[in-house]
Amino acid sequence: MCGIAGVVFKDRKLHPVGDALTKMLEALQHRGPDSAGFAIYGGLGLKENEYLLNIEVKEKPGLLETVKNTVNMVTAIETEEIIPSVEDSIIYRCKIALKSFSLLKPLIMEIDKIDDVIVLNGSHSFEMIKDVGLVKDIAARYDTASKMGTHAIGHTRFSTESIVDRYHAHPFQSYIIPDITVVHNGQITNYWKIRDPLERKGHIFETNNDTECIVHYIADKLSEGYKLEEALEQSVKDMDGPFSYIVGTPDGVGIAKDQLGLRPGVMAENDDIFAIASEEMSLHEVMDTHNIEQISPGETRAYTFKG
């Protein structure tokens, strides 16, 4: 039982979306106390081919310098920030420039070769924040209330299969195409049937978490020319098990629910906001509405910016 949420400000202007999503996730805290995460789109303001890296580094003498030297072998570090130690690790965040998106995943894999270091994500159009613990504590640590953006998705996790750490917290990200993220509640029971053809196509899996499988699946469909709504609809046909999940892209968000409707999903929309979540109480945090709709079994919904 996890909690998922997403919110879009339809004018595509900058809004305090970090604060909005924090409130939505706090309303879903009872659904998952193990970890929480955010993907906040539209507020980074990076130039073309600039990326933000989030790297977990154990507090050991000289280790952070080793990480910096590895990054500097590929590209110059333009700006950097350190999130204070939690469980003997810091989060090192740095902005870099690469000649193309195709160089991002190889750089991440090179950094990951360093013992006691793992890259949590690298992104251009969104900021990833995820950590172990409660939403309120993570929100305070990373100051999510101050984060501006156009749309965001988030998650509160109750772990049932994979381990509890920052890396396995949601959202998960794919590097098939830029900046696709997923948060998920449930289980994909035909996981290996979905994963095997993706690996045969060269997609790299870092975990056995079924949420990672979903994000690779969606990114693969989008790379083949599917629109977001079409990719969501196809996933409901291809994936078995009880699930509801939310996808974030640079242009919007979407939700899909399994054909038996075994995991919850609700949505609401007005002239200004499109919002989706596991429960109604989360939606009430961002809009005063009585027009809440249940996502039906096998149904998908999406909102993408026009133009």
Side-chain angles (χ1 to χ4, degrees):
M1 185 176 78
C2 299
I4 58 176
V7 59
V8 179
F9 288 91
K10 296 163 75 170
D11 63 5
R12 207 169 192 174
K13 295 179 180 179
L14 293 181
H15 292 268
V17 69
D19 186 53
L21 187 61
T22 299
K23 292 174 181 176
M24 293 180 76
L25 293 179
E26 286 183 326
L28 298 172
Q29 184 67 85
H30 61 283
R31 298 188 64 87
D34 294 329
S35 61
F38 305 69
I40 300 173
Y41 286 84
L44 281 183
L46 298 181
K47 299 176 183 177
E48 185 178 1
N49 290 329
E50 287 184 342
Y51 300 91
L52 178 67
L53 294 179
N54 280 305
I55 308 172
E56 181 184 87
V57 183
K58 284 285 188 184
E59 287 197 302
K60 291 184 175 181
L63 187 56
L64 180 57
E65 288 305 313
T66 300
V67 171
K68 291 181 181 182
N69 290 338
T70 302
V71 175
N72 278 322
M73 288 175 61
V74 177
T75 179
I77 296 171
E78 298 190 12
T79 60
E80 55 187 359
E81 175 190 10
I82 294 177
I83 307 298
S85 175
V86 177
E87 297 181 352
D88 300 322
S89 293
I90 62 168
I91 304 299
Y92 174 62
R93 311 180 83 189
C94 60
K95 186 177 77 172
I96 62 171
L98 298 171
K99 291 183 179 180
S100 72
F101 171 72
S102 64
L103 298 175
L104 180 58
K105 182 61 175 178
L107 173 59
I108 290 172
M109 294 174 69
E110 190 65 28
I111 298 169
D112 283 342
K113 292 178 182 178
I114 305 170
D115 289 341
D116 296 319
V117 172
I118 187 166
V119 179
L120 299 177
N121 96 295
S123 55
H124 172 74
S125 64
F126 78 95
E127 182 173 0
M128 176 87 81
I129 296 169
K130 59 181 185 177
D131 212 330
V132 296
L134 300 178
V135 173
K136 65 179 180 64
D137 297 327
I138 296 168
R141 187 176 306 139
Y142 295 87
D143 191 21
T144 60
S146 72
K147 304 297 183 181
M148 303 294 287
T150 54
H151 58 294
I153 67 171
H155 187 264
T156 63
R157 184 176 184 221
F158 181 86
S159 177
T160 56
E161 294 182 357
S162 56
I163 61 177
V164 177
D165 61 12
R166 288 188 185 94
Y167 193 80
H168 289 82
H170 300 203
F172 272 79
Q173 178 181 0
S174 172
Y175 296 94
I176 299 169
I177 59 175
D179 296 347
I180 308 300
T181 59
V182 163
V183 293
H184 167 226
N185 174 31
Q187 183 182 25
I188 307 302
T189 56
N190 62 339
Y191 168 85
W192 288 106
K193 183 178 179 180
I194 300 297
R195 174 171 170 165
D196 182 64
L198 292 171
E199 287 192 301
R200 290 174 184 271
K201 293 173 73 172
H203 303 322
I204 299 171
F205 282 72
E206 304 288 355
T207 74
N208 290 323
N209 189 298
D210 52 2
T211 309
E212 185 186 14
C213 192
I214 297 172
V215 75
H216 281 304
Y217 174 96
I218 292 295
D220 182 73
K221 294 299 183 190
L222 294 176
S223 73
E224 293 180 345
Y226 282 63
K227 295 180 179 178
L228 178 58
E229 186 75 35
E230 294 170 336
L232 294 169
E233 291 171 354
Q234 189 62 46
S235 76
V236 171
K237 298 174 184 177
D238 290 345
M239 295 179 185
D240 295 335
F243 65 82
S244 59
Y245 70 85
I246 298 175
V247 179
T249 80
D251 297 314
V253 304
I255 186 170
K257 190 172 181 177
D258 71 84
Q259 296 188 58
L260 296 179
L262 298 175
R263 291 296 182 270
V266 292
M267 67 154 288
E269 184 174 8
N270 60 26
D271 291 341
D272 302 315
I273 293 174
F274 174 88
I276 45 184
S278 298
E279 297 183 19
E280 291 185 18
M281 65 178 68
S282 181
L283 300 182
H284 284 300
E285 294 294 330
V286 292
M287 67 173 75
D288 183 14
T289 180
H290 301 288
N291 190 31
I292 292 175
E293 299 179 44
Q294 293 286 335
I295 306 295
S296 301
E299 188 179 8
T300 66
R301 294 290 186 94
Y303 185 90
T304 54
F305 296 114
K306 305 299 187 291

